[in-house]
Amino acid sequence: MIISQLPALQVILPLVAAPLCVIFHHRELAWLLTLLVSLISFCFSCMLLNQVLVGDAITYAMGGWVAPWGIEYYIDKLAAYMLLIINGIAFLVLLGAREIVESEIASDRIYLFYTAFLLNLTGLLGVITTGDAFNLFVFIEIASLSSYAMISLGRDKRSLYAAFKYLIFGTVGASFILISVGLLYAVTGTLNIADLSQQLTNAENTSTITTAFVFFIVGIGIKAAIFPLHLWLPDAYTYSPSIVSTFLAGTTTKVFIYVLIRFIYSLYGYEFSFFAESFHYLLMFTASGAIFFGSYLAIKQDSLKRILAYSSIAQIGYMVLGIALITELGLMASLVHIFNHAFIKVGLFLAVTAIIYFYDTDSLKKLMGIAKQTPFIFALFIISGLSLIGAPLTSGFISKWYLIKASIEADYWIFVSIIVISSVMTIIYIGRIIETTYFKPADKQTATFDVDKRRPYLLFLSLVVISFINIYFGVETSLNVDMASQIANELISK
Amino acid sequence: MDILGSFNYWVVIILMMIGFYIIIANNNLVKKIIGINIFQTSIFIMFISMGKVMDGTAPILNNLNTLYSSPLPHVLILTAIVVGISTTALALAIIIRIHAAFGTIEDDEIQQEIK
């Protein structure tokens, strides 16, 4: 009975829990409830994945209204894979969140923070599960609005301005997506993604469809922070509460890359999207730009969170690069990197969160030589850092391996050199952090370790789990790589 | 070119560009929000114009009419209006807190203070 309702439960569970947090009006209860919901949701996504792996894709008619008239929830392997990533990260981030949130957010607002968090989770899961183009827009806005609210909760007053900037960018992006959906509806008279793709193959290739495509690409480019539309991202990640930056860095941009893949392959279809010769060159250009620009700016920053934010822009470039190669292997590399990077970035951000918790600063100038005081956090930081660089035996190596393999296979040797050069740049900025914190002597500016603070043991636990994931998927890749290659095969052959 | 025939769409494009220009060029945060509202309204008009069928009436089943306008865009736009209002409300709330924290809602003055 409950099995057949799983697709709807993915969205409804956090949506119902969000107002409950407001009703309870209690910060510990709100945290427990949110943690519980994310755990149940994670179990559900595992069950869904199990179901999809053995059988066909699941379709679920919302309220019994059959598609294409009603809203359909559609879960294929790709959606189940993304659900697993998002739910897994939500759980791991929440596990360590309690002490951090209490120290960073005013205590009378904590329950509201968890409400916004649950709404954000609702939006992200909804974007993945829905099979309806307009419903997709609504979920994008649910996710975005709650993330603006979460960012504005930061202690630094600059977080308000960052949230406002993100709001302006995000709303323009979402409006572009809405225009695109409207134009598609004008051509086909349907909003169901599966139906749309069928109607589009029959429709003449008019300029309306092309216009819709262009509006969509620009809109999703803003939302996913694809270079050069990334301007909102560094401030939003830097000034928001650490837990929020951790969660956003692990999920939001990946979900929008998912939407990009979904629209290119499931809606417009592979032939249409890449028929215009220039489109994948455009993606290649933005991807290379993102990789260079993001890595270069990451080297120049002083704030740890800002370094990681610019590094995120570079890593989004890798994901786009995989898509731009228009090969099965490229798409697979991109999907593997979505999985690996999500856990790498969350690991790095959680370690930085712990540093901010104990030292109350994330400025490198004030953190000289502190690694000896907190060797445990820094050891885990280095594991995720090595994974970001792409050292062998870590998950980052696997993604880069497949990206390089895909570039060689598609005869784009230039990307091999771009990936290698940017790996060197990654060594520079991660190495700079390690050098400053391990080898530079402490001086007057150095922040002091706050001994009185309660030890966030659950945060350490989730850090350990994430570091383990980073190593595990560098050695044993059957889960994510096999899944990704099956998904890529399905999407290309359709 | 039948300019008058696509009058609605010309209005849409003009409103959209006005809204977009305000978002980019205006220095005042509240006015930026007004720009976003104009921008979104133009999209609403586009959706509603698409739903109109020449000589069609409201979609109420009776014996007199056989030609109906599509009601779906109206429903979609009701949802989109709700989304737009939530965005505006949240933006105004953030602006109030920006004013409390920075003492101004002018973009350039805030940027100067941040530096």
Side-chain angles (χ1 to χ4, degrees):
Chain A
M1 183 53 208
I2 196 164
I3 295 277
S4 60
Q5 307 293 336
L6 281 182
L9 278 173
Q10 279 288 319
V11 179
I12 288 169
L13 198 67
L15 186 61
V16 171
L20 281 182
C21 275
V22 181
I23 294 169
F24 287 166
H25 205 297
H26 187 284
R27 54 185 194 206
E28 300 272 310
L29 267 181
W31 172 71
L32 263 180
L33 181 76
T34 316
L35 186 67
L36 190 71
V37 164
S38 67
L39 179 63
I40 298 173
S41 192
F42 179 70
C43 296
F44 283 167
S45 65
C46 289
M47 284 156 79
L48 275 172
L49 185 70
N50 222 356
Q51 241 176 306
V52 175
L53 276 180
V54 288
D56 286 333
I58 306 166
T59 53
Y60 177 90
M62 206 37 140
W65 294 86
V66 184
W69 298 281
I71 292 170
E72 182 190 57
Y73 279 22
Y74 179 75
I75 298 191
D76 57 358
K77 288 195 181 109
L78 175 59
Y81 177 78
M82 290 302 294
L83 284 176
L84 188 78
I85 299 175
I86 303 301
N87 278 316
I89 285 183
F91 176 69
L92 285 171
V93 169
L94 279 169
L95 189 64
R98 191 177 65 170
E99 283 89 356
I100 311 297
V101 169
E102 274 170 22
S103 80
E104 287 195 8
I105 295 175
S107 58
D108 56 331
R109 289 204 189 119
I110 288 179
Y111 73 101
L112 289 173
F113 163 77
Y114 286 113
T115 313
F117 190 99
L118 280 167
L119 286 174
N120 196 333
L121 189 61
T122 310
L124 295 174
L125 296 177
V127 168
I128 299 170
T129 43
T130 189
D132 184 276
F134 189 78
N135 207 226
L136 183 91
F137 161 76
V138 175
F139 277 124
I140 286 177
E141 279 303 72
I142 291 176
S144 302
L145 282 171
S146 50
S147 61
Y148 310 146
M150 285 200 293
I151 290 168
S152 72
L153 287 172
R155 276 182 307 178
D156 195 326
K157 66 178 179 180
R158 283 174 288 189
S159 70
L160 293 168
Y161 188 64
F164 187 82
K165 203 157 89 174
Y166 184 19
L167 185 140
I168 298 281
F169 272 91
T171 309
V172 171
S175 304
F176 275 23
I177 294 171
L178 184 63
I179 294 172
S180 154
V181 171
L183 293 175
L184 283 178
Y185 177 74
V187 178
T188 59
T190 178
L191 288 166
N192 183 284
I193 290 179
D195 198 29
L196 262 173
S197 87
Q198 218 157 41
Q199 303 269 0
L200 278 181
T201 49
N202 302 333
E204 281 173 59
N205 197 353
T206 59
S207 57
T208 315
I209 302 177
T210 319
T211 314
F213 187 71
V214 171
F215 269 114
F216 170 76
I217 293 295
V218 176
I220 211 70
I222 294 175
K223 287 282 185 186
I226 297 171
F227 175 85
L229 303 168
H230 63 274
L231 288 172
W232 58 268
L233 189 141
D235 280 353
Y237 282 12
T238 311
Y239 301 125
S240 59
S242 314
I243 283 295
V244 178
S245 0
T246 311
F247 185 64
L248 292 186
T251 54
T252 316
T253 45
K254 273 103 210 154
V255 167
F256 289 117
I257 294 283
Y258 158 84
V259 177
L260 181 67
I261 294 175
R262 177 63 90 206
F263 264 58
I264 287 180
Y265 286 97
S266 302
L267 201 156
Y268 284 98
Y270 171 72
E271 284 89 5
F272 175 86
S273 306
F274 296 113
F275 184 72
E277 277 287 309
S278 48
F279 176 58
H280 72 279
Y281 288 127
L282 179 77
L283 282 187
M284 282 173 184
F285 172 73
T286 58
S288 327
I291 293 170
F292 273 125
F293 184 78
S295 306
Y296 172 68
L297 281 175
I299 294 173
K300 294 182 64 175
Q301 303 305 319
D302 175 57
S303 145
L304 289 179
K305 273 163 113 180
R306 223 177 170 78
I307 293 175
L308 295 181
Y310 278 111
S311 140
S312 269
I313 293 169
Q315 303 292 322
I316 292 162
Y318 286 130
M319 295 166 208
V320 177
L321 181 64
I323 300 169
L325 291 173
I326 14 176
T327 57
E328 197 179 313
L329 200 61
L331 182 59
M332 187 197 106
S334 188
L335 289 168
V336 172
H337 196 56
I338 288 176
F339 183 99
N340 288 340
H341 177 249
F343 287 100
I344 295 170
K345 236 336 120 43
V346 169
L348 288 168
F349 261 112
L350 273 184
V352 170
T353 302
I355 294 166
I356 293 173
Y357 179 74
F358 285 120
Y359 292 94
D360 207 31
T361 178
D362 72 335
S363 161
L364 265 181
K365 279 190 206 116
K366 295 182 185 164
L367 292 174
M368 288 197 278
I370 56 145
K372 282 161 209 141
Q373 297 163 11
T374 47
F376 177 66
I377 297 172
F378 276 93
L380 297 175
F381 181 86
I382 288 176
I383 293 178
S384 297
L386 284 176
S387 195
L388 186 72
I389 293 166
L393 295 182
T394 57
S395 59
F397 176 73
I398 305 293
S399 350
K400 284 201 176 145
W401 170 264
Y402 281 109
L403 264 175
I404 289 178
K405 210 171 138 190
S407 314
I408 294 172
E409 190 205 58
D411 246 355
Y412 283 108
W413 285 87
I414 178 151
F415 292 132
V416 179
S417 53
I418 285 180
I419 292 168
V420 171
I421 291 170
S422 102
S423 297
V424 174
M425 288 164 107
T426 315
I427 295 176
I428 295 174
Y429 62 76
I430 292 292
R432 205 168 66 105
I433 297 173
I434 294 172
E435 193 220 333
T436 315
T437 52
Y438 271 89
F439 301 119
K440 281 205 178 146
D443 63 5
K444 271 180 293 180
Q445 276 192 341
T446 304
T448 45
F449 181 79
D450 196 339
V451 212
D452 301 333
K453 277 201 169 155
R454 203 148 44 116
R455 296 288 185 276
Y457 291 110
L458 285 173
L459 178 76
F460 295 153
L461 176 69
S462 76
L463 252 174
V464 170
V465 172
I466 287 175
S467 307
F468 174 74
I469 289 173
N470 276 331
I471 293 174
Y472 179 82
F473 285 106
V475 183
E476 160 64 43
T477 57
S478 62
L479 179 67
N480 58 352
V481 172
D482 286 1
M483 272 293 290
S485 73
Q486 278 182 38
I487 295 165
N489 186 281
E490 232 170 58
L491 287 175
I492 296 261
S493 60
K494 191 151 62 181
Chain B
M1 268 295 279
D2 183 10
I3 291 181
L4 278 181
S6 41
F7 176 73
N8 283 18
Y9 296 99
W10 286 108
V11 172
V12 168
I13 291 170
I14 291 167
L15 275 182
M16 197 181 279
M17 289 306 118
I18 292 174
F20 210 38
Y21 180 76
I22 297 174
I23 297 171
I24 296 169
N26 213 297
N27 206 14
N28 186 306
L29 300 188
V30 175
K31 287 180 186 166
K32 274 183 198 287
I33 298 303
I34 295 174
I36 279 202
N37 277 320
I38 296 174
F39 184 68
Q40 285 180 328
T41 309
S42 76
I43 302 172
F44 302 161
I45 297 174
M46 185 188 85
F47 265 78
I48 293 169
S49 309
M50 274 169 1
K52 175 69 183 168
V53 175
M54 265 308 173
D55 301 325
T57 64
I60 303 165
L61 264 185
N62 59 19
N63 298 331
L64 300 172
N65 298 307
T66 48
L67 197 61
Y68 304 109
S69 290
S70 169
L72 188 66
H74 300 134
V75 182
L76 299 182
I77 286 318
L78 279 179
T79 315
I81 287 173
V82 174
V83 171
I85 286 174
S86 332
T87 313
T88 310
L90 181 65
L92 291 176
I94 292 178
I95 290 174
I96 289 172
R97 288 196 41 211
I98 286 180
H99 188 253
F102 292 90
T104 175
I105 52 168
E106 297 292 325
D107 206 9
D108 52 352
E109 288 171 22
I110 296 171
Q111 271 176 3
Q112 228 158 32
E113 208 180 316
I114 286 176
K115 273 178 193 149

